Amino acid sequence: MLPPTRTQSPVNQLDLTPKILESRDQYRSCHICLPGEDYRAAAVIVQGKYYSLVKVVQDRSRSLEIGNRLISAGTEAVITQLAKGYAIWRLEPEAYVDSCPRSPSQPLQTAIDLPPCKILESRNDYKACHISLPDSEQRLAAVLVDGQHYGLLKVVTTQQQALMLAARLQRKEVGAVITRAAQGYAIWFLEPNAVVCKD
């Protein structure tokens, strides 16, 4: 289950299927800033609400599965259809579009006031797998690190974005690891109750 990253609006539990926006007329692309972050995040605006990018997948059913996970965790989600797949977006009620605060002269560790999360550069440092959770039959992408399972939260393009997201998890006392990915960095959060799926 995804950890809550900030206060979310209540979700109508009767509507547990995220809406797929198939026309560009239904949303507008933009960039947003989030409290405590010093980078702009890719986003869409739908009916006056801002949604940040969670993940892009090729398969429609996979996009619905991820969207349903977000909604089950209490986060409103929408999906947009792309030329080569589907993008899943999560509601960001505290987002704003003004310029993000920047402190380039301040080291990252000082800015977040936490030791930086270790980045696992080599695939020898972890084992990729799939897990399920006691309250769900869905398979989730995961990594095994030092005998503990971590579920995928998000893939970002820069190391700084990955460190900031990991620090946000650490502030909420959620264990996190970062791995190098083909297109950037993947942030994973600790799932202490995970059950390994047999492939």
Side-chain angles (χ1 to χ4, degrees), residues 74-122:
T75 302
E76 191 175 325
V78 295
I79 297 170
T80 58
Q81 188 168 0
L82 308 175
K84 296 184 178 179
Y86 298 86
I88 303 98
W89 309 83
R90 68 182 295 154
L91 178 65
E92 297 289 1
E94 298 176 18
Y96 58 99
V97 292
D98 299 332
S99 59
C100 294
R102 303 229 172 240
S103 52
S105 61
Q106 197 175 27
L108 181 63
Q109 291 90 327
T110 306
I112 61 178
D113 205 27
L114 282 169
C117 184
K118 184 177 179 183
I119 298 175
L120 306 177
E121 300 276 353
S122 168

XYZ file of all heavy atoms in Angstrom, residues 74-122:
375
model
N -6.686 6.143 -0.281
C -7.292 7.415 0.086
C -6.850 8.591 -0.754
O -7.041 9.743 -0.365
N -6.244 8.335 -1.896
C -5.758 9.388 -2.770
C -6.551 9.398 -4.076
O -6.651 8.371 -4.733
C -4.262 9.170 -3.097
O -3.532 9.136 -1.888
C -3.734 10.280 -3.979
N -7.081 10.538 -4.444
C -7.811 10.644 -5.707
C -6.822 10.506 -6.858
O -5.699 11.012 -6.790
C -8.506 12.007 -5.773
C -9.498 12.124 -6.908
C -10.257 13.440 -6.857
O -10.546 13.920 -5.747
O -10.535 13.982 -7.942
N -7.215 9.815 -7.921
C -6.320 9.578 -9.060
C -7.069 9.692 -10.374
O -8.274 9.434 -10.431
C -5.675 8.196 -8.943
N -6.338 10.085 -11.416
C -6.877 10.076 -12.777
C -5.825 9.443 -13.680
O -4.649 9.360 -13.326
C -7.232 11.492 -13.295
C -8.352 12.105 -12.480
C -6.016 12.399 -13.328
N -6.274 8.998 -14.843
C -5.382 8.388 -15.826
C -5.571 9.119 -17.142
O -6.706 9.421 -17.538
C -5.715 6.888 -16.005
C -5.478 6.144 -14.684
C -4.890 6.270 -17.127
C -6.000 4.716 -14.679
N -4.473 9.424 -17.824
C -4.570 10.032 -19.152
C -4.021 9.052 -20.178
O -3.063 8.324 -19.905
C -3.791 11.357 -19.232
O -2.419 11.134 -18.897
C -4.380 12.391 -18.297
N -4.649 9.044 -21.347
C -4.205 8.153 -22.412
C -3.133 8.868 -23.218
O -3.305 10.016 -23.630
C -5.385 7.768 -23.305
C -5.027 6.703 -24.321
C -6.265 6.117 -24.993
O -7.382 6.500 -24.702
N -6.041 5.188 -25.899
N -2.014 8.189 -23.423
C -0.896 8.735 -24.189
C -0.784 7.989 -25.509
O -1.451 6.973 -25.726
C 0.411 8.591 -23.402
C 0.411 9.134 -21.963
C 1.728 8.796 -21.286
C 0.175 10.627 -21.966
N 0.100 8.475 -26.375
C 0.303 7.806 -27.659
C 0.798 6.379 -27.466
O 0.429 5.475 -28.217
C 1.297 8.597 -28.506
N 1.639 6.163 -26.435
C 2.219 4.832 -26.228
C 1.895 4.274 -24.861
O 2.727 3.621 -24.233
C 3.729 4.891 -26.422
C 4.147 5.250 -27.840
C 5.648 5.206 -27.990
C 6.059 5.506 -29.421
N 7.522 5.485 -29.586
N 0.714 4.543 -24.333
C 0.364 3.962 -23.047
C -0.547 4.856 -22.238
O -1.361 5.614 -22.794
N -0.399 4.783 -20.913
C -1.276 5.498 -19.989
C -0.435 6.102 -18.862
O 0.492 5.465 -18.366
C -2.313 4.537 -19.393
C -3.218 3.942 -20.428
C -2.843 2.797 -21.130
C -4.450 4.531 -20.746
C -3.665 2.252 -22.108
C -5.275 3.994 -21.710
C -4.882 2.862 -22.396
O -5.685 2.338 -23.363
N -0.775 7.316 -18.471
C -0.100 7.981 -17.356
C -1.055 8.017 -16.166
O -2.235 8.360 -16.320
C 0.316 9.399 -17.737
N -0.548 7.668 -14.992
C -1.356 7.698 -13.765
C -0.936 8.933 -12.968
O 0.266 9.187 -12.787
C -1.138 6.422 -12.916
C -1.451 5.169 -13.732
C -2.022 6.458 -11.667
C -0.271 4.486 -14.317
N -1.920 9.690 -12.488
C -1.672 10.940 -11.772
C -2.394 10.913 -10.428
O -3.509 10.420 -10.345
C -2.196 12.126 -12.589
C -1.738 12.148 -14.011
C -2.277 11.459 -15.070
C -0.651 12.903 -14.568
N -1.590 11.731 -16.218
C -0.588 12.623 -15.952
C 0.276 13.794 -14.007
C 0.357 13.193 -16.780
C 1.224 14.368 -14.845
C 1.255 14.066 -16.214
N -1.763 11.466 -9.386
C -2.374 11.510 -8.053
C -2.691 12.949 -7.673
O -1.943 13.862 -7.998
C -1.464 10.868 -7.006
C -0.184 11.642 -6.742
C 0.741 10.981 -5.752
N 0.139 10.931 -4.448
C 0.418 10.039 -3.526
N 1.311 9.108 -3.765
N -0.159 10.075 -2.357
N -3.798 13.132 -6.944
C -4.219 14.460 -6.509
C -3.181 15.066 -5.569
O -2.686 14.405 -4.662
C -5.572 14.380 -5.796
C -6.114 15.701 -5.253
C -6.419 16.676 -6.382
C -7.359 15.454 -4.413
N -2.870 16.333 -5.791
C -1.944 17.081 -4.937
C -2.672 18.323 -4.427
O -2.574 19.406 -5.012
C -0.680 17.482 -5.720
C 0.145 16.317 -6.223
C 0.869 15.559 -5.113
O 0.717 15.933 -3.937
O 1.588 14.601 -5.429
N -3.442 18.208 -3.342
C -4.255 19.330 -2.868
C -3.438 20.524 -2.390
O -3.951 21.637 -2.325
C -5.080 18.729 -1.727
C -4.338 17.505 -1.307
C -3.635 16.994 -2.529
N -2.151 20.310 -2.055
C -1.329 21.413 -1.563
C -0.407 21.979 -2.645
O 0.481 22.778 -2.361
C -0.497 20.933 -0.364
C -1.362 20.493 0.810
C -0.536 19.920 1.953
O 0.684 20.161 1.993
O -1.128 19.232 2.799
N -0.627 21.579 -3.901
C 0.239 22.038 -4.990
C 0.031 23.529 -5.259
O -1.037 24.080 -5.027
C -0.064 21.237 -6.251
N 1.083 24.145 -5.778
C 0.985 25.528 -6.236
C 1.850 25.679 -7.489
O 2.705 24.842 -7.764
C 1.394 26.517 -5.142
C 2.789 26.332 -4.593
C 3.848 27.118 -5.029
C 3.045 25.364 -3.618
C 5.129 26.954 -4.518
C 4.324 25.199 -3.099
C 5.361 25.996 -3.560
O 6.619 25.826 -3.063
N 1.618 26.729 -8.265
C 2.291 26.866 -9.552
C 3.293 28.012 -9.583
O 3.924 28.240 -10.590
C 1.273 27.043 -10.706
C 0.483 25.776 -10.922
C 0.352 28.213 -10.444
N 3.448 28.720 -8.467
C 4.471 29.760 -8.422
C 5.852 29.105 -8.463
O 5.973 27.899 -8.325
C 4.340 30.597 -7.145
C 2.996 31.307 -7.075
O 2.440 31.590 -8.153
O 2.513 31.559 -5.964
N 6.892 29.925 -8.612
C 8.243 29.361 -8.693
C 8.577 28.642 -7.383
O 8.224 29.091 -6.302
C 9.264 30.464 -8.960
O 9.220 31.425 -7.931
N 9.268 27.528 -7.522
C 9.634 26.728 -6.348
C 10.737 27.426 -5.566
O 11.596 28.073 -6.152
C 10.134 25.354 -6.781
S 8.875 24.342 -7.558
N 10.720 27.277 -4.235
C 11.817 27.845 -3.448
C 13.116 27.138 -3.775
O 13.140 25.929 -3.961
C 11.385 27.587 -1.999
C 10.460 26.426 -2.093
C 9.769 26.549 -3.415
N 14.189 27.887 -3.880
C 15.472 27.282 -4.220
C 16.522 27.729 -3.223
O 16.520 28.857 -2.764
C 15.916 27.684 -5.625
C 14.901 27.315 -6.678
C 15.562 26.591 -7.829
N 14.528 26.099 -8.723
C 14.360 24.841 -9.009
N 15.128 23.939 -8.475
N 13.436 24.457 -9.833
N 17.408 26.823 -2.898
C 18.530 27.175 -2.025
C 19.773 26.471 -2.553
O 20.280 25.541 -1.940
C 18.246 26.752 -0.579
O 17.869 25.394 -0.543
N 20.257 26.881 -3.753
C 21.359 26.153 -4.395
C 22.644 26.143 -3.601
O 23.453 25.243 -3.730
C 21.546 26.887 -5.722
C 20.925 28.229 -5.519
C 19.837 28.042 -4.499
N 22.849 27.156 -2.745
C 24.093 27.199 -1.990
C 24.048 26.283 -0.771
O 25.057 26.029 -0.136
C 24.369 28.632 -1.533
O 23.319 29.077 -0.706
N 22.859 25.774 -0.440
C 22.694 24.951 0.755
C 22.829 23.485 0.389
O 22.179 23.014 -0.539
C 21.303 25.216 1.333
C 21.150 24.766 2.763
C 19.791 25.166 3.308
O 18.835 25.306 2.567
N 19.706 25.337 4.601
N 23.688 22.730 1.079
C 23.797 21.302 0.765
C 22.469 20.590 0.982
O 21.692 20.969 1.845
C 24.849 20.792 1.765
C 25.523 22.005 2.310
C 24.555 23.139 2.173
N 22.235 19.547 0.209
C 20.974 18.812 0.286
C 20.729 18.262 1.690
O 19.634 18.352 2.212
C 20.977 17.665 -0.734
C 19.712 16.829 -0.789
C 18.536 17.695 -1.223
C 19.872 15.667 -1.729
N 21.784 17.742 2.334
C 21.600 17.162 3.657
C 21.100 18.205 4.649
O 20.275 17.932 5.494
C 22.918 16.566 4.180
C 23.361 15.336 3.428
C 24.256 15.694 2.257
O 24.103 16.732 1.635
N 25.186 14.816 1.939
N 21.626 19.430 4.556
C 21.198 20.488 5.458
C 19.774 20.907 5.154
O 18.966 21.136 6.036
C 22.138 21.705 5.333
O 23.473 21.262 5.542
C 21.785 22.775 6.342
N 19.457 20.975 3.853
C 18.127 21.430 3.458
C 17.045 20.502 3.987
O 15.992 20.942 4.414
C 18.037 21.525 1.935
N 17.293 19.205 3.976
C 16.253 18.279 4.431
C 16.490 17.829 5.865
O 15.663 17.167 6.449
C 16.169 17.054 3.496
C 17.495 16.291 3.476
C 15.764 17.466 2.106
C 17.459 15.047 2.617
N 17.682 18.177 6.409
C 17.979 17.911 7.814
C 17.933 16.427 8.148
O 17.564 16.048 9.241
C 17.028 18.697 8.708
C 17.656 18.954 10.079
O 18.893 19.004 10.163
O 16.906 19.067 11.048
N 18.283 15.589 7.195
C 18.317 14.146 7.414
C 19.499 13.567 6.649
O 19.895 14.117 5.627
C 17.038 13.483 6.871
C 15.780 13.581 7.700
C 14.603 13.124 6.883
C 15.899 12.738 8.960
N 20.065 12.451 7.110
C 21.100 11.823 6.301
C 20.493 11.340 4.985
O 19.364 10.837 4.979
C 21.581 10.646 7.159
C 20.464 10.392 8.118
C 19.782 11.713 8.333
N 21.189 11.516 3.857
C 20.605 11.110 2.582
C 20.428 9.595 2.502
O 21.210 8.838 3.077
C 21.613 11.611 1.544
C 22.897 11.747 2.286
C 22.527 12.081 3.700
N 19.395 9.185 1.809
C 19.119 7.762 1.613
C 20.191 7.181 0.686
O 20.611 7.824 -0.273
C 17.727 7.622 0.980
S 17.191 5.928 0.775
N 20.633 5.979 0.970
C 21.649 5.341 0.143
C 21.070 4.979 -1.222
O 19.949 4.490 -1.326
C 22.164 4.082 0.841
C 23.295 3.405 0.094
C 23.825 2.209 0.860
C 24.932 1.540 0.072
N 25.427 0.337 0.724
N 21.857 5.247 -2.258
C 21.454 4.885 -3.617
C 22.168 3.594 -3.997
O 23.402 3.520 -3.957
C 21.793 6.005 -4.615
C 21.025 7.273 -4.254
C 21.468 5.564 -6.041
C 21.370 8.471 -5.091
N 21.388 2.573 -4.324
C 21.953 1.282 -4.713
C 22.266 1.330 -6.206
O 21.371 1.287 -7.047
C 20.957 0.159 -4.395
C 20.460 0.119 -2.939
C 19.433 -0.980 -2.754
C 21.623 -0.069 -1.973
N 23.544 1.472 -6.529
C 23.971 1.654 -7.921
C 24.010 0.332 -8.692
O 23.772 0.296 -9.886
C 25.361 2.299 -7.957
C 25.442 3.657 -7.290
C 25.010 4.787 -8.193
O 24.772 4.537 -9.381
O 24.890 5.917 -7.689
N 24.312 -0.762 -7.988
C 24.501 -2.050 -8.663
C 23.317 -2.981 -8.406
O 22.759 -3.008 -7.307
C 25.785 -2.707 -8.144
O 25.853 -4.054 -8.571
